Amino acid sequence: MNTKPSSNRRLLAYALVYKYRIIAAILILCCAVVAELGGPYIIKTIIDGHLSLDEGDMTPVLALLGGYLGLLVLAGAANFSQSYLLQSTSLQIIKNMRMDLMRHVQRIPIRYFDNTPIGQIVSRIANDTEAIRDLFMSFMATFIVSILQLAGIYTALFILDYRLALFCLILPPIFVLIMYVHLKYSKGYITIMRARLSDMNATINESIAVMPIVQAFRREKKTLEEFEVLNEDRYVNQVKQFRVFSLSSRNAVGTIGALVTAMVVWYFGGNALDGAIRFGVFYIFIDYLGRIFNPIIGIFDQLTNAQRAFVAADKVFGIMDMEGVEVEDASSAKRPEGAVKFDNVSFGYKDGENVLKGISFEARKGETVALVGHTGSGKSSIMNLLLGFYEPGEGAITIDGRNVANTSKQELRKHMGIVLQDPFLFAGDIKFNVSLYNERISPEQVKQALRDVGASTFVEQLPGGYDEPVVERGSTLSAGQRQLISFARALAFDPAILILDEATASIDSETEGLIQRALKVVSEGRTTFVIAHRLSTIREADQILVLHRGEIVERGNHDTLMALGGRYYKMYQLQKGERVAV
């Protein structure tokens, strides 16, 4: 049974946070409506001649005209005030919603991002919240204004002449029926349009991220064709939705309004000429009748925005309903010794398909443990479990005897450092990419970390030195340079546990030598895990684990495994280019 509140209720909950501002705007709006509707009454008084005028004395008329102008000024000021209050409140509501969504995205498990295109998530945070903004900024303001205006107009109509007012009561049911038809047929088109926009964002993000591959393999035409299919589908549904909108909004309201006005003029106009209805009453009634259609048209114009917002809200709240883990404060977390133990751990990304089977090993404080094996053997999965990105299906992982399942993720990762095969650099400068604005890391520590990994030589030769700007992903630097900065980042945080996930794969032999010398210094007293394809880089490891199809098939140091003559021996000989007997 689904106990989660509907999107409508949750949108209302966001609005109710600012209920006093909304109520104040409505009260100001009421003043604006009274002022607007009071003007025609003054004109009616003048037309019907309800003034005691001395010969040549226009003072009462001028006083009424002055009052009319005053009402116009009051209505303008009130309309501005209520509009400002509603619009600023709407912006505040969406700001809060966008921050809530962004906070929750930080809490969602990594597994979600493995199966969801980045462009779709970006679309939820940027496009969908913007669509909801239109609901609060446009539809909410228009709806409230229109309802109050209609209430005021019908009140005035009944005061003027109940027969004319009763005749005009046929309009609201007709417009409600038209709105119902409009909403019923356009919702499906809008849902498809929002889905296609999300798919297009995902396609754009993917194609830009891998543009070198797209161009290298001449996939430009195919990429355009895939995008054109999505774009065309969105265009077709958008045209259909506009067709429904055009037939049911201004067109229908305008036609019905003209017919009703003509009927009123034809039927009641003769009575006014015959004296059954005063001409001033008839004038003001026609004025108010014309005002009925403006709020109706305003509501119709915003129905599309409202539907788009409700569809977007379903997507946004769908993400916010996902189970997440709170980002806890780990400032007081103690630095661990670094003793890591895997006890009969099994894990699979999909139920029933384990990629790790009964993994057991122990890394003592200060040891270097290397993981080797063919692609897909489970090396990176072990590190993902250690970092807490996933939870093991069976078994337990402990650090200093403490089960990581009982440790907050922030506390777990605070004293871990990781260097990936494909290093990511943020937009900023080199200092920022090493310290990530951590207050505990001084500029001198940043420089020292870069010196330790051998990166200071090329950094100091850059035009800006340590302040050299870095574009997103560090595309202006070589792969080796980006990797060295990534190493410096890990070392600057002084982790108790250091993870190198094939970190030397994209580095030349000379740079690799610099890193190997630096690692001998920084790994002292620090538990280090190394995932490596280059077996020459792990000869000094205290323990080497050879994985095959999710199981540890060999373990020991380099000399022990070479003497064993098994899988590790064959891999090492193949990398050296020697013939191995199979």
Side-chain angles (χ1 to χ4, degrees), residues 190-476:
I190 291 177
T191 301
I192 296 175
M193 288 160 52
R194 301 302 302 178
R196 293 299 167 268
L197 178 62
S198 178
D199 294 339
M200 289 163 62
N201 284 336
T203 302
I204 293 171
N205 180 82
E206 182 183 71
S207 60
I208 292 177
V210 296
M211 187 58 71
I213 302 299
V214 171
Q215 295 185 359
F217 287 90
R218 306 182 306 282
R219 289 274 302 175
E220 297 95 335
K221 184 177 179 180
K222 188 64 178 177
T223 301
L224 284 175
E225 290 174 354
E226 293 173 354
F227 184 82
E228 185 177 10
V229 170
L230 298 173
N231 196 27
E232 179 68 20
D233 191 28
R234 188 175 193 275
Y235 165 76
V236 169
N237 283 276
Q238 198 164 24
V239 169
K240 292 178 180 178
Q241 193 275 327
F242 278 138
R243 189 180 300 146
V244 173
F245 173 77
S246 299
L247 291 174
S248 61
S249 59
R250 289 178 176 267
N251 188 26
V253 175
T255 302
I256 293 172
L259 291 174
V260 171
T261 303
M263 291 173 64
V264 170
V265 171
W266 173 75
Y267 184 76
F268 294 104
N271 292 334
L273 295 176
D274 294 338
I277 299 177
R278 293 191 303 273
F279 186 74
V281 172
F282 184 68
Y283 158 78
I284 194 174
F285 191 90
I286 293 297
D287 181 274
Y288 284 153
L289 183 61
R291 292 171 184 251
I292 287 178
F293 305 111
N294 289 331
I296 298 296
I297 289 175
I299 292 175
F300 264 111
D301 287 346
Q302 296 301 328
L303 280 179
T304 299
N305 287 338
Q307 280 194 304
R308 188 183 298 119
F310 285 124
V311 172
D314 289 337
K315 303 291 185 182
V316 168
F317 291 128
I319 292 181
M320 294 178 71
D321 285 337
M322 292 181 181
E323 186 178 352
V325 179
E326 291 295 328
V327 180
E328 301 178 4
D329 182 16
S331 58
S332 60
K334 296 182 179 179
R335 179 185 175 90
E337 295 291 325
V340 177
K341 182 179 181 180
F342 276 61
D343 186 9
N344 197 32
V345 172
S346 296
F347 166 73
Y349 295 99
K350 297 180 181 179
D351 292 338
E353 299 179 16
N354 283 346
V355 296
L356 296 177
K357 307 166 188 175
I359 299 295
S360 295
F361 68 88
E362 185 173 356
R364 291 183 289 273
K365 173 186 174 181
E367 280 192 344
T368 297
V369 178
L371 306 175
V372 301
H374 60 77
T375 300
S377 60
K379 305 183 298 297
S380 294
S381 296
I382 290 177
M383 295 300 98
N384 286 335
L385 291 176
L386 180 59
L387 285 162
F389 292 149
Y390 303 92
E391 299 295 334
E394 298 177 8
I397 304 171
T398 61
I399 297 178
D400 295 347
R402 183 181 180 185
N403 196 323
V404 298
N406 302 325
T407 307
S408 75
K409 304 306 178 186
Q410 297 301 304
E411 182 179 350
L412 174 66
R413 298 165 189 156
K414 180 179 180 181
H415 297 288
M416 286 188 182
I418 183 170
V419 180
L420 301 172
Q421 179 179 359
D422 183 19
F424 187 93
L425 298 186
F426 298 91
D429 55 30
I430 290 180
K431 291 201 314 295
F432 160 69
N433 272 283
V434 175
S435 68
L436 299 182
Y437 291 143
N438 189 314
E439 297 177 354
R440 296 185 296 106
I441 301 176
S442 66
E444 184 54 41
Q445 288 175 304
V446 170
K447 295 178 181 180
Q448 185 60 47
L450 289 166
R451 283 194 291 268
D452 288 341
V453 300
S456 58
T457 303
F458 85 83
V459 170
E460 291 172 355
Q461 292 176 353
L462 296 173
Y466 296 97
D467 297 315
E468 177 73 10
V470 178
V471 298
E472 185 179 354
R473 301 190 66 87
S475 57
T476 56

Side-chain angles (χ1 to χ4, degrees), residues 551-571:
E551 298 179 300
I552 299 177
V553 293
E554 296 177 9
R555 69 179 73 204
N557 58 29
H558 174 76
D559 294 334
T560 302
L561 294 177
M562 290 297 291
L564 186 63
R567 183 174 294 273
Y568 178 84
Y569 172 81
K570 295 176 181 178
M571 293 169 61

Side-chain angles (χ1 to χ4, degrees), residues 22-48:
I22 296 175
I23 291 173
I26 293 174
L27 292 176
I28 294 173
L29 177 58
C30 290
C31 296
V33 171
V34 171
E36 288 178 349
L37 297 179
Y41 269 94
I42 295 177
I43 302 299
K44 166 184 170 294
T45 302
I46 297 174
I47 292 175
D48 285 344

Side-chain angles (χ1 to χ4, degrees), residues 14-90:
Y14 272 97
L16 288 178
V17 174
Y18 299 96
K19 57 182 177 292
Y20 296 114
R21 295 182 66 178
I22 296 175
I23 291 173
I26 293 174
L27 292 176
I28 294 173
L29 177 58
C30 290
C31 296
V33 171
V34 171
E36 288 178 349
L37 297 179
Y41 269 94
I42 295 177
I43 302 299
K44 166 184 170 294
T45 302
I46 297 174
I47 292 175
D48 285 344
H50 295 312
L51 294 174
S52 300
L53 299 176
D54 295 332
E55 188 174 351
D57 185 10
M58 296 295 294
T59 302
V61 175
L62 294 176
L64 286 174
L65 290 177
Y68 180 59
L69 292 176
L71 288 176
L72 291 179
V73 173
L74 176 61
N79 279 321
F80 168 80
S81 300
Q82 64 84 15
S83 178
Y84 177 81
L85 272 176
L86 285 177
Q87 301 286 3
S88 60
T89 301
S90 301

